[in-house]
Amino acid sequence: MSEFNVSGRFKNRDGYASFETTIDAENENVAREHVLSQIGSRHGVKRTGIELEEVSQR
């Protein structure tokens, strides 16, 4: 497993909110899927409302 830093923004009622998180994943695609799932679940946002700006391996 590798550690990835993921940053981006998501839509909320006031416009957009930025986020940055670190996640353990097998590869970059899995890291993207986990972040989309987590942000969507926590904030009630669909995947189309989430923009991932950068995914980089630590």
Side-chain angles (χ1 to χ4, degrees), residues 1-6 19 21-39 47 52 54-57:
M1 291 270 216
S2 299
E3 223 175 61
F4 291 89
N5 287 332
V6 183
F19 69 89
T21 187
T22 302
I23 192 162
D24 287 328
E26 295 174 7
N27 58 47
E28 186 176 322
N29 290 334
V30 174
R32 288 176 184 271
E33 289 298 317
H34 280 289
V35 170
L36 289 172
S37 175
Q38 287 179 355
I39 298 294
R47 289 172 179 246
L52 300 180
E54 183 180 1
V55 180
S56 59
Q57 191 169 359

Side-chain angles (χ1 to χ4, degrees), residues 7-20 35-36 38-40 42-53:
S7 62
R9 62 188 195 150
F10 62 91
K11 284 185 184 179
N12 65 8
R13 62 181 169 195
D14 298 328
Y16 280 91
S18 296
F19 69 89
E20 186 171 335
V35 170
L36 289 172
Q38 287 179 355
I39 298 294
R42 285 186 197 151
H43 300 282
V45 180
K46 294 185 179 186
R47 289 172 179 246
T48 57
I50 303 170
E51 297 176 7
L52 300 180
E53 294 170 352

